[in-house]
Amino acid sequence: MNAKTPEITPELVAEHGLKPDEYQRILDLIGRTPSITELGIFSAMWNEHCSYKSSRIHLRGLHTKAPWVIQGPGENAGIISIGDGLAVVFKMESHNHPSYIEPYQGAATGVGGILRDVFTMGARPIAALNSLSFGDPSHPKTRSLVSGVVAGVGGYGNSFGVPTVGGSVRFDTRYDGNNLVNAMAVGLIDVTKIFYAKATGVGNPVVYLGSKTGRDGIHGATMASAEFGADAEEKRPTVQVGDPFAEKLLLEACLEIMANDCVIAIQDMGAAGLTCSAVEMGAKGDLGITLDIEKVPCRETGMTAYEMMLSESQERMLMVLKPEKEKEAEAIFRKWGLDFAIVGETTPTKRFLIRHHGEVMADLPIKELGDEAPLYNRPYEETPKQPVLPFTSVGAKGTLADALEKLLGSPNLCSKRWVWEQYDHLILGNTVQRPGGDSAVVRIEEGPKALAITTDVTPHYCEADPFEGGKQAVAEAYRNLIATGARPLAITDNLNFGNPERPEIMGQFVGCVRGISEACRVLDFPVVAGNVSLYNETNGRGILPTPTIGGVGLIDDVATAASIAFKAEGEAVLMIGE
Amino acid sequence: MKARVTVTLKPSILDPQGKAIEGALKSLGVGGIASVRQGKIFEIEVEGGDKAKAEAALKQAADKLLANTVIENYRVEIE
Amino acid sequence: MKARVTVTLKPSILDPQGKAIEGALKSLGVGGIASVRQGKIFEIEVEGGDKAKAEAALKQAADKLLANTVIENYRVEIE
Amino acid sequence: MKSAVVLFPGSNRERDAVRALRLVCGSEPKVVWHGDSELPSGTDLVVLPGGFSYGDYLRCGAIAARSPVMDAVRKHADAGGLVLGICNGFQILCESGLLPGVLMRNAQMRFQCRVVGLRVENSDTPFTRGYNAGQVIHIPVAHGEGNYEADAETLTRLEGDGRIAYRYCGPNGELEPKYNINGAIASIAGIVSEKHNVLGLMPHPENHVEEQMGSTDGRGLFAGMLEHVSRAA
Ligand SMILES: Nc1ncnc2c1ncn2[C@@H]1O[C@H](COP(=O)(O)OP(=O)(O)O)[C@@H](O)[C@H]1O
């Protein structure tokens, strides 16, 4: 196929994060040795991050349907109807490992990625949230991680122009070597103008949009799935740099071409950019995709097909365009100063064909790249049930006042003002309830409807009893929504765990997912989007199980929303519930 | 002693600032500029007269704070 | 041709960033730093081989855009 | 009143400005593209909105200040037309020389989003006549580089000519460092041009024009401009 292909050795296969049996699967599937570009494509498609190979089996059991759900898990983001012809698009995603290595850029590009997921579907982002977990405050790295991550989240969101309205921050020594950055974005969309990744029609142009491709983050996708070793900082994997300015232009240009009815299908380039986006568009549409890779706008000279297919440069999109709209779409992108290049076309072959100056670099069955990804039912050990302790056995240590003082002094309960004041939480002029309450409340356009939005999880509960902890996270999100007067509608999850190849970690994962599922079913509070981040582990020490829940609820009339502040002197204080 | 630490993005890393400046110079009609990359420069006054010691301190400063060596390179110069 | 434009704050202007870095270096235990001032450096690739022309273009770039001469000084160097 | 809101690449509070103008002044502003070299004819007020024009790369407002539309804005200002630069707009006005001084990094080195107290220094400008001199209003800030700096001579001139329109203050108008959100010289939040027809202001009055958003303290600024223009007409 390609004379320059390096020999595919077992070492090379291992470096691509593929296990020998996974490589065998590739050989069986294509009936020959893959080229290096093909190996790269498989490694990107079949890693944990893209294929969900350890988690997929368990996620199938989630409660995902309700009459108001327009799009459940499986697209860029979930969509729920809120009436009046409007829908809400939202999702949460992790950027944990990159934020540990380069806190500012890692967090920034995490926010950028989730915003793109939302506006790729045609929605204008109206709110962002984030859930952050850091190591012990006394750990030498914690301080700089906190300031870098918070500045990065703010730096991207503030510049892009979305209000960051809420979130959570926790500290625990178990995150010393693996902090968590979970970012959520919420957008508003007209139900008749939703865009999906599914390509249709043969011979339609495949268009590259946004910033140029560089060599950044080429091993990003694999990095996100490999356990950290002590030498992580030495390996210095390339971290992507975010350009919120380019993303803001991309948002405006995308919404403009969508409004002008130019788009058949669109997909953002996230992890393993061009590969994942092209495969997804083709596979979902039962079509092949051919790319002439030399047409991809590049930032650097001499990039190989392998590099272009695996680059994780930010602020890029792939689109299938209505052919008659080519000139119009291109003019819009040029006006916003963005790259626009026709890089390929849809074909009837169901093959993923990559050519570089005419030379075939990869020729793979497109559906199988996704569908035939390995699927593991990894062995798991249920977390042993803890005995229920009688009240009397927990002797009081000191007075009530001591206990209160201890609680108030805990970094986990301290005011988070230092964090959320670095986020523009007021831009767009709809933030009715600002950070500091139970849920954020964001008005829909000029009202009277509003959304309540929250992120919640209590990792210590999840560790003590994954099933109950999973339930509790969902219930807490539900409670935070109803506390503002909202009707809870749906959630996105973001499941952060340690190494799934360890049965006790897998046990935590399975338990939490069951708990989430149970609570969602009982509350009719479906999961419409989610993200899994595994291998959050350093030198064999895993993080606390942290299944973050992002909940969204609807308030019919924002004038009736409740907030946590006491309103006047002399009012009665009631406690309800058990 | 006067010293300078110059911090620049590694060549393969995206420089959005440089890109924006390049575009702006073009539209301002400043000709002949092929590319721009922006870096930082720290002008540092070091105490004492021991050059080797100063260099060590500056390297430490760069590694610990002034540069993130994941994405940036630095250069230390002492006058 | 490779060139560099270095932009620094005028000495009379307060540099909050430099001050913050000074403080941070102290608390990181990096010793012997008396003061820090932060500036910008632009690494510019100029087309063609005419040094005088390049210098004129770079001066123009600095005056028109790269430096705010109300608060900043600049220096042009061509390799 | 005919108003125009300029859209630069990276502007992001233009919708907030448009909404405030519509709600308070009762008419829909025109949105003008940065590449345009003329303003819509009959424009009374030009708003340079908040945001991160050109990503705030290089220096905040530096690249936007040099875009084609700014020549038209300068002409409009020279002819006595009203120009309101909010946040990034203020930075653009300083960079373009329409206002003196510069906006530096916040003294605490962090982006700050919160509601601050502002003392109205003088009620004789089109941008402050909606308030009483000495009145304290509450308006949000959201910026990382709003630390106003000017040399001693400029400052003396600004003070002497009554060109300091708003200062950061405490609940009773106190000018103490703890209320000076970004470390600005003389607690300056907003200044006007020599002819009092150009205002640069770091805080965002456009985000406090609706009861539902917690306060309507920002309305006076828009109402004042409207009154100024209707009287002139
Ligand atoms: N990372 C963050 N980003 C934005 N807002 C945050 C963040 N962390 C906490 N907040 C806000 O601070 C307030 C208090 O948070 P938290 O202490 O977690 O309260 P609770 O336990 O009541 O949810 C909430 O309004 C929350 O949205």
Side-chain angles (χ1 to χ4, degrees), chain A residues 129-132 164-169 412-414 416-417 419-420 423 434-440 454-456 476 480:
Chain A
L129 293 91
N130 58 105
S131 176
L132 312 176
T164 301
V165 296
S168 38
V169 186
N412 285 312
L413 294 181
C414 74
K416 307 304 186 315
R417 180 177 282 269
V419 174
W420 50 257
Y423 304 153
R434 302 170 181 184
D438 287 312
S439 298
T454 180
T455 66
D456 297 281
E476 186 177 346
N480 276 329

PDB file of all heavy atoms in Angstrom, chain A residues 129-132 164-169 412-414 416-417 419-420 423 434-440 454-456 476 480, ligand 1:
ATOM      1  N   LEU A 129     -21.108  25.443  33.302  1.00  0.00           N
ATOM      2  CA  LEU A 129     -20.854  25.104  34.702  1.00  0.00           C
ATOM      3  C   LEU A 129     -19.598  24.248  34.748  1.00  0.00           C
ATOM      4  O   LEU A 129     -19.149  23.744  33.712  1.00  0.00           O
ATOM      5  CB  LEU A 129     -22.019  24.312  35.315  1.00  0.00           C
ATOM      6  CG  LEU A 129     -23.347  25.060  35.474  1.00  0.00           C
ATOM      7  CD1 LEU A 129     -24.202  24.872  34.239  1.00  0.00           C
ATOM      8  CD2 LEU A 129     -24.084  24.579  36.707  1.00  0.00           C
ATOM      9  N   ASN A 130     -19.056  24.072  35.955  1.00  0.00           N
ATOM     10  CA  ASN A 130     -17.891  23.201  36.046  1.00  0.00           C
ATOM     11  C   ASN A 130     -17.794  22.587  37.421  1.00  0.00           C
ATOM     12  O   ASN A 130     -18.132  23.195  38.429  1.00  0.00           O
ATOM     13  CB  ASN A 130     -16.623  23.965  35.696  1.00  0.00           C
ATOM     14  CG  ASN A 130     -16.415  25.156  36.582  1.00  0.00           C
ATOM     15  OD1 ASN A 130     -15.578  25.135  37.475  1.00  0.00           O
ATOM     16  ND2 ASN A 130     -17.206  26.198  36.376  1.00  0.00           N
ATOM     17  N   SER A 131     -17.342  21.349  37.443  1.00  0.00           N
ATOM     18  CA  SER A 131     -17.160  20.642  38.706  1.00  0.00           C
ATOM     19  C   SER A 131     -15.680  20.289  38.796  1.00  0.00           C
ATOM     20  O   SER A 131     -15.142  19.611  37.920  1.00  0.00           O
ATOM     21  CB  SER A 131     -18.043  19.408  38.704  1.00  0.00           C
ATOM     22  OG  SER A 131     -17.809  18.668  39.873  1.00  0.00           O
ATOM     23  N   LEU A 132     -15.034  20.786  39.847  1.00  0.00           N
ATOM     24  CA  LEU A 132     -13.582  20.666  39.955  1.00  0.00           C
ATOM     25  C   LEU A 132     -13.215  19.892  41.212  1.00  0.00           C
ATOM     26  O   LEU A 132     -13.749  20.153  42.287  1.00  0.00           O
ATOM     27  CB  LEU A 132     -12.947  22.058  40.025  1.00  0.00           C
ATOM     28  CG  LEU A 132     -13.414  23.073  38.976  1.00  0.00           C
ATOM     29  CD1 LEU A 132     -12.770  24.444  39.236  1.00  0.00           C
ATOM     30  CD2 LEU A 132     -13.069  22.604  37.573  1.00  0.00           C
ATOM     31  N   THR A 164     -20.580  31.636  33.058  1.00  0.00           N
ATOM     32  CA  THR A 164     -20.307  30.440  33.849  1.00  0.00           C
ATOM     33  C   THR A 164     -21.057  30.630  35.161  1.00  0.00           C
ATOM     34  O   THR A 164     -20.686  31.468  35.981  1.00  0.00           O
ATOM     35  CB  THR A 164     -18.802  30.270  34.069  1.00  0.00           C
ATOM     36  OG1 THR A 164     -18.192  30.186  32.777  1.00  0.00           O
ATOM     37  CG2 THR A 164     -18.490  28.999  34.842  1.00  0.00           C
ATOM     38  N   VAL A 165     -22.142  29.894  35.314  1.00  0.00           N
ATOM     39  CA  VAL A 165     -23.124  30.240  36.347  1.00  0.00           C
ATOM     40  C   VAL A 165     -23.078  29.361  37.580  1.00  0.00           C
ATOM     41  O   VAL A 165     -23.782  29.632  38.550  1.00  0.00           O
ATOM     42  CB  VAL A 165     -24.553  30.227  35.760  1.00  0.00           C
ATOM     43  CG1 VAL A 165     -24.696  31.302  34.688  1.00  0.00           C
ATOM     44  CG2 VAL A 165     -24.905  28.844  35.193  1.00  0.00           C
ATOM     45  N   GLY A 166     -22.308  28.299  37.553  1.00  0.00           N
ATOM     46  CA  GLY A 166     -22.308  27.450  38.744  1.00  0.00           C
ATOM     47  C   GLY A 166     -21.328  26.316  38.622  1.00  0.00           C
ATOM     48  O   GLY A 166     -20.606  26.185  37.630  1.00  0.00           O
ATOM     49  N   GLY A 167     -21.326  25.500  39.650  1.00  0.00           N
ATOM     50  CA  GLY A 167     -20.421  24.366  39.651  1.00  0.00           C
ATOM     51  C   GLY A 167     -20.128  23.913  41.051  1.00  0.00           C
ATOM     52  O   GLY A 167     -20.863  24.213  41.991  1.00  0.00           O
ATOM     53  N   SER A 168     -19.042  23.193  41.221  1.00  0.00           N
ATOM     54  CA  SER A 168     -18.635  22.773  42.554  1.00  0.00           C
ATOM     55  C   SER A 168     -17.124  22.624  42.593  1.00  0.00           C
ATOM     56  O   SER A 168     -16.473  22.424  41.568  1.00  0.00           O
ATOM     57  CB  SER A 168     -19.336  21.472  42.956  1.00  0.00           C
ATOM     58  OG  SER A 168     -19.463  20.607  41.866  1.00  0.00           O
ATOM     59  N   VAL A 169     -16.582  22.743  43.800  1.00  0.00           N
ATOM     60  CA  VAL A 169     -15.142  22.589  44.010  1.00  0.00           C
ATOM     61  C   VAL A 169     -14.966  21.716  45.236  1.00  0.00           C
ATOM     62  O   VAL A 169     -15.624  21.940  46.246  1.00  0.00           O
ATOM     63  CB  VAL A 169     -14.471  23.948  44.321  1.00  0.00           C
ATOM     64  CG1 VAL A 169     -12.959  23.769  44.397  1.00  0.00           C
ATOM     65  CG2 VAL A 169     -14.826  24.983  43.286  1.00  0.00           C
ATOM     66  N   ASN A 412     -13.727  22.297  51.977  1.00  0.00           N
ATOM     67  CA  ASN A 412     -14.839  21.843  51.146  1.00  0.00           C
ATOM     68  C   ASN A 412     -16.110  22.640  51.382  1.00  0.00           C
ATOM     69  O   ASN A 412     -16.997  22.660  50.542  1.00  0.00           O
ATOM     70  CB  ASN A 412     -15.106  20.357  51.373  1.00  0.00           C
ATOM     71  CG  ASN A 412     -14.043  19.525  50.690  1.00  0.00           C
ATOM     72  OD1 ASN A 412     -13.733  19.764  49.532  1.00  0.00           O
ATOM     73  ND2 ASN A 412     -13.450  18.601  51.410  1.00  0.00           N
ATOM     74  N   LEU A 413     -16.208  23.270  52.541  1.00  0.00           N
ATOM     75  CA  LEU A 413     -17.408  24.048  52.828  1.00  0.00           C
ATOM     76  C   LEU A 413     -17.166  25.547  52.720  1.00  0.00           C
ATOM     77  O   LEU A 413     -18.063  26.339  52.932  1.00  0.00           O
ATOM     78  CB  LEU A 413     -17.919  23.721  54.232  1.00  0.00           C
ATOM     79  CG  LEU A 413     -18.416  22.280  54.414  1.00  0.00           C
ATOM     80  CD1 LEU A 413     -18.929  22.084  55.829  1.00  0.00           C
ATOM     81  CD2 LEU A 413     -19.502  21.944  53.418  1.00  0.00           C
ATOM     82  N   CYS A 414     -15.949  25.933  52.409  1.00  0.00           N
ATOM     83  CA  CYS A 414     -15.660  27.363  52.397  1.00  0.00           C
ATOM     84  C   CYS A 414     -16.397  28.032  51.246  1.00  0.00           C
ATOM     85  O   CYS A 414     -16.905  27.368  50.351  1.00  0.00           O
ATOM     86  CB  CYS A 414     -14.158  27.604  52.259  1.00  0.00           C
ATOM     87  SG  CYS A 414     -13.540  27.286  50.619  1.00  0.00           S
ATOM     88  N   LYS A 416     -17.011  29.689  47.829  1.00  0.00           N
ATOM     89  CA  LYS A 416     -16.356  29.474  46.537  1.00  0.00           C
ATOM     90  C   LYS A 416     -16.289  30.771  45.732  1.00  0.00           C
ATOM     91  O   LYS A 416     -16.021  30.782  44.543  1.00  0.00           O
ATOM     92  CB  LYS A 416     -17.090  28.398  45.726  1.00  0.00           C
ATOM     93  CG  LYS A 416     -17.315  27.076  46.455  1.00  0.00           C
ATOM     94  CD  LYS A 416     -16.025  26.463  46.969  1.00  0.00           C
ATOM     95  CE  LYS A 416     -16.184  25.075  47.581  1.00  0.00           C
ATOM     96  NZ  LYS A 416     -17.271  24.831  48.487  1.00  0.00           N
ATOM     97  N   ARG A 417     -16.524  31.868  46.417  1.00  0.00           N
ATOM     98  CA  ARG A 417     -16.537  33.177  45.751  1.00  0.00           C
ATOM     99  C   ARG A 417     -15.248  33.447  44.965  1.00  0.00           C
ATOM    100  O   ARG A 417     -15.272  33.964  43.852  1.00  0.00           O
ATOM    101  CB  ARG A 417     -16.742  34.245  46.833  1.00  0.00           C
ATOM    102  CG  ARG A 417     -16.785  35.661  46.334  1.00  0.00           C
ATOM    103  CD  ARG A 417     -17.064  36.616  47.493  1.00  0.00           C
ATOM    104  NE  ARG A 417     -18.470  36.611  47.845  1.00  0.00           N
ATOM    105  CZ  ARG A 417     -19.357  37.451  47.309  1.00  0.00           C
ATOM    106  NH1 ARG A 417     -18.985  38.335  46.424  1.00  0.00           N
ATOM    107  NH2 ARG A 417     -20.615  37.404  47.656  1.00  0.00           N
ATOM    108  N   VAL A 419     -13.515  31.532  43.400  1.00  0.00           N
ATOM    109  CA  VAL A 419     -13.601  30.836  42.113  1.00  0.00           C
ATOM    110  C   VAL A 419     -14.577  31.550  41.191  1.00  0.00           C
ATOM    111  O   VAL A 419     -14.209  31.998  40.098  1.00  0.00           O
ATOM    112  CB  VAL A 419     -14.037  29.365  42.315  1.00  0.00           C
ATOM    113  CG1 VAL A 419     -14.282  28.687  40.970  1.00  0.00           C
ATOM    114  CG2 VAL A 419     -13.015  28.607  43.140  1.00  0.00           C
ATOM    115  N   TRP A 420     -15.832  31.657  41.613  1.00  0.00           N
ATOM    116  CA  TRP A 420     -16.820  32.129  40.634  1.00  0.00           C
ATOM    117  C   TRP A 420     -16.753  33.611  40.334  1.00  0.00           C
ATOM    118  O   TRP A 420     -17.303  34.060  39.339  1.00  0.00           O
ATOM    119  CB  TRP A 420     -18.231  31.651  40.943  1.00  0.00           C
ATOM    120  CG  TRP A 420     -18.788  31.841  42.312  1.00  0.00           C
ATOM    121  CD1 TRP A 420     -18.927  30.884  43.280  1.00  0.00           C
ATOM    122  CD2 TRP A 420     -19.363  33.024  42.888  1.00  0.00           C
ATOM    123  NE1 TRP A 420     -19.516  31.407  44.418  1.00  0.00           N
ATOM    124  CE2 TRP A 420     -19.799  32.713  44.195  1.00  0.00           C
ATOM    125  CE3 TRP A 420     -19.549  34.332  42.417  1.00  0.00           C
ATOM    126  CZ2 TRP A 420     -20.404  33.644  45.040  1.00  0.00           C
ATOM    127  CZ3 TRP A 420     -20.148  35.265  43.251  1.00  0.00           C
ATOM    128  CH2 TRP A 420     -20.569  34.916  44.553  1.00  0.00           C
ATOM    129  N   TYR A 423     -15.174  34.081  37.013  1.00  0.00           N
ATOM    130  CA  TYR A 423     -15.973  33.720  35.838  1.00  0.00           C
ATOM    131  C   TYR A 423     -16.987  34.822  35.597  1.00  0.00           C
ATOM    132  O   TYR A 423     -17.657  35.267  36.521  1.00  0.00           O
ATOM    133  CB  TYR A 423     -16.754  32.430  36.093  1.00  0.00           C
ATOM    134  CG  TYR A 423     -15.946  31.226  36.496  1.00  0.00           C
ATOM    135  CD1 TYR A 423     -16.527  30.227  37.268  1.00  0.00           C
ATOM    136  CD2 TYR A 423     -14.624  31.065  36.092  1.00  0.00           C
ATOM    137  CE1 TYR A 423     -15.819  29.097  37.638  1.00  0.00           C
ATOM    138  CE2 TYR A 423     -13.915  29.933  36.457  1.00  0.00           C
ATOM    139  CZ  TYR A 423     -14.517  28.962  37.232  1.00  0.00           C
ATOM    140  OH  TYR A 423     -13.818  27.845  37.591  1.00  0.00           O
ATOM    141  N   ARG A 434     -27.487  33.984  40.659  1.00  0.00           N
ATOM    142  CA  ARG A 434     -26.042  33.938  40.442  1.00  0.00           C
ATOM    143  C   ARG A 434     -25.443  32.855  41.315  1.00  0.00           C
ATOM    144  O   ARG A 434     -26.112  32.314  42.183  1.00  0.00           O
ATOM    145  CB  ARG A 434     -25.489  35.323  40.785  1.00  0.00           C
ATOM    146  CG  ARG A 434     -26.166  36.378  39.904  1.00  0.00           C
ATOM    147  CD  ARG A 434     -25.869  37.794  40.332  1.00  0.00           C
ATOM    148  NE  ARG A 434     -26.608  38.688  39.425  1.00  0.00           N
ATOM    149  CZ  ARG A 434     -26.536  40.001  39.429  1.00  0.00           C
ATOM    150  NH1 ARG A 434     -25.738  40.610  40.293  1.00  0.00           N
ATOM    151  NH2 ARG A 434     -27.232  40.725  38.573  1.00  0.00           N
ATOM    152  N   PRO A 435     -24.167  32.552  41.137  1.00  0.00           N
ATOM    153  CA  PRO A 435     -23.537  31.545  41.997  1.00  0.00           C
ATOM    154  C   PRO A 435     -23.731  31.902  43.469  1.00  0.00           C
ATOM    155  O   PRO A 435     -23.824  33.075  43.816  1.00  0.00           O
ATOM    156  CB  PRO A 435     -22.065  31.629  41.604  1.00  0.00           C
ATOM    157  CG  PRO A 435     -22.069  32.145  40.214  1.00  0.00           C
ATOM    158  CD  PRO A 435     -23.248  33.077  40.127  1.00  0.00           C
ATOM    159  N   GLY A 436     -23.766  30.879  44.286  1.00  0.00           N
ATOM    160  CA  GLY A 436     -23.977  31.102  45.707  1.00  0.00           C
ATOM    161  C   GLY A 436     -25.232  30.438  46.231  1.00  0.00           C
ATOM    162  O   GLY A 436     -25.412  30.299  47.426  1.00  0.00           O
ATOM    163  N   GLY A 437     -26.106  29.993  45.320  1.00  0.00           N
ATOM    164  CA  GLY A 437     -27.340  29.340  45.751  1.00  0.00           C
ATOM    165  C   GLY A 437     -27.311  27.855  45.482  1.00  0.00           C
ATOM    166  O   GLY A 437     -26.255  27.252  45.358  1.00  0.00           O
ATOM    167  N   ASP A 438     -28.506  27.239  45.398  1.00  0.00           N
ATOM    168  CA  ASP A 438     -28.585  25.798  45.172  1.00  0.00           C
ATOM    169  C   ASP A 438     -28.340  25.449  43.702  1.00  0.00           C
ATOM    170  O   ASP A 438     -27.535  24.600  43.384  1.00  0.00           O
ATOM    171  CB  ASP A 438     -29.965  25.291  45.596  1.00  0.00           C
ATOM    172  CG  ASP A 438     -30.091  25.281  47.112  1.00  0.00           C
ATOM    173  OD1 ASP A 438     -29.180  24.770  47.761  1.00  0.00           O
ATOM    174  OD2 ASP A 438     -31.090  25.805  47.638  1.00  0.00           O
ATOM    175  N   SER A 439     -29.102  26.075  42.843  1.00  0.00           N
ATOM    176  CA  SER A 439     -28.892  25.905  41.405  1.00  0.00           C
ATOM    177  C   SER A 439     -28.763  27.298  40.823  1.00  0.00           C
ATOM    178  O   SER A 439     -29.276  28.252  41.387  1.00  0.00           O
ATOM    179  CB  SER A 439     -30.130  25.279  40.742  1.00  0.00           C
ATOM    180  OG  SER A 439     -30.386  24.017  41.248  1.00  0.00           O
ATOM    181  N   ALA A 440     -28.134  27.378  39.692  1.00  0.00           N
ATOM    182  CA  ALA A 440     -28.160  28.642  38.971  1.00  0.00           C
ATOM    183  C   ALA A 440     -29.507  28.725  38.271  1.00  0.00           C
ATOM    184  O   ALA A 440     -30.071  27.710  37.884  1.00  0.00           O
ATOM    185  CB  ALA A 440     -27.036  28.675  37.948  1.00  0.00           C
ATOM    186  N   THR A 454     -27.589  22.663  37.802  1.00  0.00           N
ATOM    187  CA  THR A 454     -26.744  22.366  38.954  1.00  0.00           C
ATOM    188  C   THR A 454     -25.777  21.229  38.616  1.00  0.00           C
ATOM    189  O   THR A 454     -26.025  20.453  37.682  1.00  0.00           O
ATOM    190  CB  THR A 454     -27.628  21.966  40.157  1.00  0.00           C
ATOM    191  OG1 THR A 454     -26.803  21.674  41.287  1.00  0.00           O
ATOM    192  CG2 THR A 454     -28.468  20.733  39.849  1.00  0.00           C
ATOM    193  N   THR A 455     -24.675  21.145  39.353  1.00  0.00           N
ATOM    194  CA  THR A 455     -23.806  19.961  39.250  1.00  0.00           C
ATOM    195  C   THR A 455     -23.589  19.417  40.669  1.00  0.00           C
ATOM    196  O   THR A 455     -23.386  20.199  41.597  1.00  0.00           O
ATOM    197  CB  THR A 455     -22.413  20.283  38.677  1.00  0.00           C
ATOM    198  OG1 THR A 455     -21.703  21.107  39.594  1.00  0.00           O
ATOM    199  CG2 THR A 455     -22.487  20.959  37.342  1.00  0.00           C
ATOM    200  N   ASP A 456     -23.672  18.106  40.823  1.00  0.00           N
ATOM    201  CA  ASP A 456     -23.560  17.515  42.160  1.00  0.00           C
ATOM    202  C   ASP A 456     -22.936  16.131  42.146  1.00  0.00           C
ATOM    203  O   ASP A 456     -23.102  15.372  41.187  1.00  0.00           O
ATOM    204  CB  ASP A 456     -24.961  17.396  42.789  1.00  0.00           C
ATOM    205  CG  ASP A 456     -25.612  18.736  42.984  1.00  0.00           C
ATOM    206  OD1 ASP A 456     -25.262  19.413  43.943  1.00  0.00           O
ATOM    207  OD2 ASP A 456     -26.456  19.118  42.132  1.00  0.00           O
ATOM    208  N   GLU A 476     -29.495  14.553  44.847  1.00  0.00           N
ATOM    209  CA  GLU A 476     -29.072  15.889  45.256  1.00  0.00           C
ATOM    210  C   GLU A 476     -29.284  16.889  44.122  1.00  0.00           C
ATOM    211  O   GLU A 476     -29.743  18.019  44.345  1.00  0.00           O
ATOM    212  CB  GLU A 476     -27.595  15.879  45.683  1.00  0.00           C
ATOM    213  CG  GLU A 476     -27.165  17.217  46.257  1.00  0.00           C
ATOM    214  CD  GLU A 476     -25.723  17.235  46.760  1.00  0.00           C
ATOM    215  OE1 GLU A 476     -25.118  16.150  46.906  1.00  0.00           O
ATOM    216  OE2 GLU A 476     -25.220  18.339  47.006  1.00  0.00           O
ATOM    217  N   ASN A 480     -31.623  20.137  44.374  1.00  0.00           N
ATOM    218  CA  ASN A 480     -31.131  21.493  44.095  1.00  0.00           C
ATOM    219  C   ASN A 480     -31.991  22.182  43.037  1.00  0.00           C
ATOM    220  O   ASN A 480     -32.152  23.399  43.061  1.00  0.00           O
ATOM    221  CB  ASN A 480     -29.668  21.457  43.653  1.00  0.00           C
ATOM    222  CG  ASN A 480     -28.718  21.415  44.839  1.00  0.00           C
ATOM    223  OD1 ASN A 480     -29.011  21.959  45.896  1.00  0.00           O
ATOM    224  ND2 ASN A 480     -27.590  20.750  44.669  1.00  0.00           N
TER     225      ASN A 480
HETATM  226  N1  LIG E   1     -16.329  25.603  40.003  1.00  0.00           N
HETATM  227  C1  LIG E   1     -17.348  26.457  40.195  1.00  0.00           C
HETATM  228  N2  LIG E   1     -17.747  27.242  39.196  1.00  0.00           N
HETATM  229  C2  LIG E   1     -18.786  28.090  39.352  1.00  0.00           C
HETATM  230  N3  LIG E   1     -19.489  28.194  40.467  1.00  0.00           N
HETATM  231  C3  LIG E   1     -19.158  27.420  41.483  1.00  0.00           C
HETATM  232  C4  LIG E   1     -18.067  26.532  41.404  1.00  0.00           C
HETATM  233  N4  LIG E   1     -17.956  25.884  42.569  1.00  0.00           N
HETATM  234  C5  LIG E   1     -18.944  26.342  43.349  1.00  0.00           C
HETATM  235  N5  LIG E   1     -19.681  27.259  42.685  1.00  0.00           N
HETATM  236  C6  LIG E   1     -20.877  27.922  43.161  1.00  0.00           C
HETATM  237  O1  LIG E   1     -20.720  28.233  44.531  1.00  0.00           O
HETATM  238  C7  LIG E   1     -21.912  27.976  45.243  1.00  0.00           C
HETATM  239  C8  LIG E   1     -21.596  27.084  46.412  1.00  0.00           C
HETATM  240  O2  LIG E   1     -21.089  25.864  45.975  1.00  0.00           O
HETATM  241  P1  LIG E   1     -20.986  24.636  46.935  1.00  0.00           P
HETATM  242  O3  LIG E   1     -20.164  25.024  48.094  1.00  0.00           O
HETATM  243  O4  LIG E   1     -20.567  23.464  46.119  1.00  0.00           O
HETATM  244  O5  LIG E   1     -22.478  24.575  47.408  1.00  0.00           O
HETATM  245  P2  LIG E   1     -23.541  23.420  47.487  1.00  0.00           P
HETATM  246  O6  LIG E   1     -22.865  22.348  48.260  1.00  0.00           O
HETATM  247  O7  LIG E   1     -24.658  24.113  48.191  1.00  0.00           O
HETATM  248  O8  LIG E   1     -23.864  23.062  46.056  1.00  0.00           O
HETATM  249  C9  LIG E   1     -22.894  27.362  44.242  1.00  0.00           C
HETATM  250  O9  LIG E   1     -23.791  28.343  43.804  1.00  0.00           O
HETATM  251  C10 LIG E   1     -22.034  26.934  43.105  1.00  0.00           C
HETATM  252  O10 LIG E   1     -22.703  26.992  41.878  1.00  0.00           O
END
